[in-house]
């Protein structure tokens, strides 16, 4: 089965609030999209369209006049009102009918192999809130009725929009291949927008997932709130093993380049979480330094997290914050400095390979596990946290002692 969509499919939200839904399913086959799919909710809402139903040789059109095969059907006059029915008087100031929310609709595009080509545009934006776009699967596979793809490719230039255009929260956009299948691959190099409304509303949620997840250097995800009252949303990347590499990264294994990651940390929170399924062990490696200035970076590993060497520094400024979680191994720092403007949280045991300095501008630093060195009495831990607090929830040097601990 091959489905190739090149034109326009439109099912916009109606003035009554009824939302459109488009499903393209190549069950066990291939789906290619180079055209537009529009289930957006315009500012005024769409007008109820004239429906055309083709039934073999008959053509039935629903409009002001009913026709069958081009000939008008006879219409019966409206029956006269009974004489005993009282006339209805319209009130001078009638209560207005409630205004329907104009929310974006839903697009499901899936098959064994799904490709969004460079001209593809999937639009589920809405005046009062974004809709939902599911490519290759549902968010965290939360809806088993959505067929899971094995291979998904989103090309440079392909666009998905689930933003709220006026007020309300951004919607949900998913690019997914079956993470439990070791052969599944998701390549994402397109653009996803899930912004909150200009007059209020939080940013939406975006997920890109696959046993192997390759993020291209053109990949762009925007989940910011367009109003000062809203909060940014989150881009979730959840492969099995994963690495953060220098520049744009070698786009052959499961990874993202630091340049791409830094760019996207300027337009929303980013969460990278390795999974406990597939062929990988769920480990995460940071191979190059990172610099950003606004939102939160969360790294969660089913296995361990390792900062490769002393040159791998975190240089966060402004309101940037960092949370690291390792469920199956240590969080290992091989030297360097970890700096953020906001909070730092470490969930799991921390191991220092060499001397390490943790700094926040004026926020708390929390270690929820143990902190140890690798060679007794060798590694030094320095913490600069301004006027805020440092929390050690586990032993410091209890397993392997540190050379020193300084808190400034």
């Amino acid at each position: 089965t091959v489905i190739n969509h090149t034109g326009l499919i439109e099912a916009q939200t109606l003035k009554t609030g009824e939302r459109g839904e488009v499903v393209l399913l190549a069950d066990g086959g291939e789906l290619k999209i180079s055209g537009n799919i529009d289930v957006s909710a315009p500012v005024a809402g769409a007008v109820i369209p004239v429906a055309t139903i083709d039934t073999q040789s008959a053509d039935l059109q629903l409009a002001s006049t009913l026709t069958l095969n081009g000939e008008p059907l006879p219409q019966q006059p409206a029956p006269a009102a009974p004489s005993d029915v009282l006339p209805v008087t319209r009130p001078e100031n009638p209560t207005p009918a409630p205004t329907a929310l104009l929310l974006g609709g839903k697009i499901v595009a899936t098959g064994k192999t799904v490709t969004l080509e460079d001209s593809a545009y999937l639009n589920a934006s809405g005046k009062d809130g974004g809709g939902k776009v599911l490519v290759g699967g549902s968010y965290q596979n939360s809806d088993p009725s959505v067929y899971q793809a094995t291979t998904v490719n989103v090309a440079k230039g392909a666009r998905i929009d689930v933003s709220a255009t006026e007020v309300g929260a951004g919607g949900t956009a998913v690019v997914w291949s079956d993470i439990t299948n070791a052969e599944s691959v998701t390549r994402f190099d397109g653009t996803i927008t899930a912004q909150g409304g200009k007059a209020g509303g939080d940013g939406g949620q975006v997920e890109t997932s696959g046993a192997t997840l390759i993020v291209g250097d053109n990949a762009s995800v925007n989940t910011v709130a367009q109003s000062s009252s809203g909060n940014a949303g989150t881009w979730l990347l959840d492969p099995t093993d994963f690495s953060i590499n220098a520049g744009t990264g070698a786009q052959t294994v499961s990874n993202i380049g630091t340049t791409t990651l830094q760019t996207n940390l300027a337009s929303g929170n980013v969460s990278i979480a390795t999974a406990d399924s597939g062929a990988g062990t769920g480990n995460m490696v940071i191979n190059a330094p990172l610099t950003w200035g606004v939102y939160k970076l969360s790294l969660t590993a089913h296995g361990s997290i390792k900062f490769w060497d002393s040159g791998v520094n975190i240089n966060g400024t402004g309101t940037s914050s960092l949370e690291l979680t390792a469920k199956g191994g240590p969080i290992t720092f091989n030297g360097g400095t970890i700096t953020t403007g906001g909070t730092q949280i470490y969930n799991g045991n921390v191991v220092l390979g060499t001397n390490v300095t943790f700094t926040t501008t004026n926020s708390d630093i929390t270690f929820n596990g143990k902190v140890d060195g690798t060679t007794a009495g060798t590694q030094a831990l320095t913490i600069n946290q301004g006027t805020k607090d440092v929390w050690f929830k586990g032993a410091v040097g209890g397993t392997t002692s540190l050379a020193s601990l300084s808190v400034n």
Side-chain angles (χ1 to χ4, degrees):
T1 303
V2 178
I3 298 176
N4 189 6
H5 168 56
T6 60
L8 169 64
I9 299 174
E10 188 174 72
Q12 292 182 326
T13 298
L14 303 178
K15 290 181 177 180
T16 56
E18 295 172 271
R19 292 190 274 176
E21 181 171 341
V22 173
V23 178
L24 296 181
L25 170 61
D27 190 349
E30 182 177 6
L31 171 62
K32 293 183 178 181
I33 298 175
S34 58
N36 295 352
I37 302 176
D38 186 355
V39 296
S40 65
V43 172
V47 177
I48 297 177
V50 172
T52 300
I53 306 173
D54 292 319
T55 57
Q56 296 182 353
S57 60
D59 180 11
L60 176 64
Q61 295 183 331
L62 304 180
S64 58
T65 301
L66 294 178
T67 64
L68 179 63
N69 294 329
E71 297 295 326
L73 294 175
Q75 300 185 42
Q76 299 296 326
S83 59
D84 59 347
V85 175
L86 296 175
V88 176
T89 303
R90 181 181 298 276
E92 293 183 2
N93 298 300
T95 302
T99 302
L101 289 176
L102 299 177
L103 306 173
K106 180 178 179 180
I107 299 170
V108 178
T110 190
K112 184 176 182 180
T113 300
V114 182
T115 300
L116 301 189
E117 298 183 346
D118 58 4
S119 56
Y121 180 32
L122 280 57
N123 183 5
S125 62
K127 171 182 175 289
D128 300 314
K132 186 177 293 186
V133 174
L134 308 179
V135 178
S138 60
Y139 189 85
Q140 295 278 279
N141 195 33
S142 57
D143 184 353
S145 69
V146 179
Y147 183 93
Q148 295 187 74
T150 302
T151 304
V152 175
N153 300 295
V154 179
K156 172 186 176 182
R159 294 177 294 154
I160 296 172
D161 192 350
V162 293
S163 297
T165 56
E166 295 295 325
V167 66
T172 298
V174 176
V175 177
W176 171 282
S177 62
D178 183 2
I179 198 167
T180 65
N181 183 345
E183 302 300 319
S184 79
V185 179
T186 297
R187 298 178 179 87
F188 174 64
D189 204 24
T191 298
I192 299 177
T193 307
Q195 293 182 290
K198 290 179 288 187
D202 296 339
Q205 57 183 6
V206 174
E207 178 183 21
T208 55
S209 178
T212 297
L213 173 61
I214 300 171
V215 182
D217 58 354
N218 298 290
S220 176
V221 173
N222 189 333
T223 64
V224 301
Q226 298 183 78
S227 74
S228 59
S229 62
N231 298 311
T234 299
W235 175 19
L236 169 63
L237 303 86
D238 49 344
T240 49
D241 292 344
F242 200 72
S243 61
I244 299 173
N245 298 327
T248 56
Q251 305 305 319
T252 55
V253 294
S254 210
N255 75 92
I256 188 171
T258 53
T259 301
T260 307
L261 179 54
Q262 290 168 170
T263 298
N264 282 281
L265 277 165
S267 54
N269 304 306
V270 177
S271 176
I272 303 174
T274 60
D276 58 355
S277 57
T281 55
N283 293 330
M284 192 179 303
V285 179
I286 297 90
N287 291 313
L290 282 167
T291 300
W292 79 100
V294 184
Y295 297 105
K296 181 177 182 179
L297 173 62
S298 301
L299 304 179
T300 302
H302 178 69
S304 63
I305 298 175
K306 184 175 183 180
F307 286 73
W308 193 254
D309 58 35
S310 61
V312 181
N313 301 315
I314 296 289
N315 303 303
T317 60
T319 57
S320 62
S321 60
L322 177 68
E323 183 168 3
L324 305 184
T325 303
K327 299 178 179 180
I331 304 170
T332 302
F333 295 94
N334 286 305
T337 60
I338 308 298
T339 302
T340 58
T343 58
Q344 296 180 28
I345 301 174
Y346 302 95
N347 303 308
N349 296 329
V350 171
V351 174
L352 308 182
T354 57
N355 301 337
V356 182
T357 299
F358 296 86
T359 301
T360 66
T361 302
N362 196 23
S363 296
D364 291 354
I365 299 178
T366 303
F367 296 90
N368 285 315
K370 300 187 298 181
V371 181
D372 285 299
T374 51
T375 304
T378 303
Q379 289 78 33
L381 172 60
T382 302
I383 297 177
N384 304 308
Q385 94 298 353
T387 61
K388 296 298 183 178
D389 297 322
V390 179
W391 298 91
F392 292 100
K393 303 296 183 68
V396 177
T399 302
T400 303
S401 63
L402 303 179
S404 64
L405 169 61
S406 300
V407 178
N408 307 307

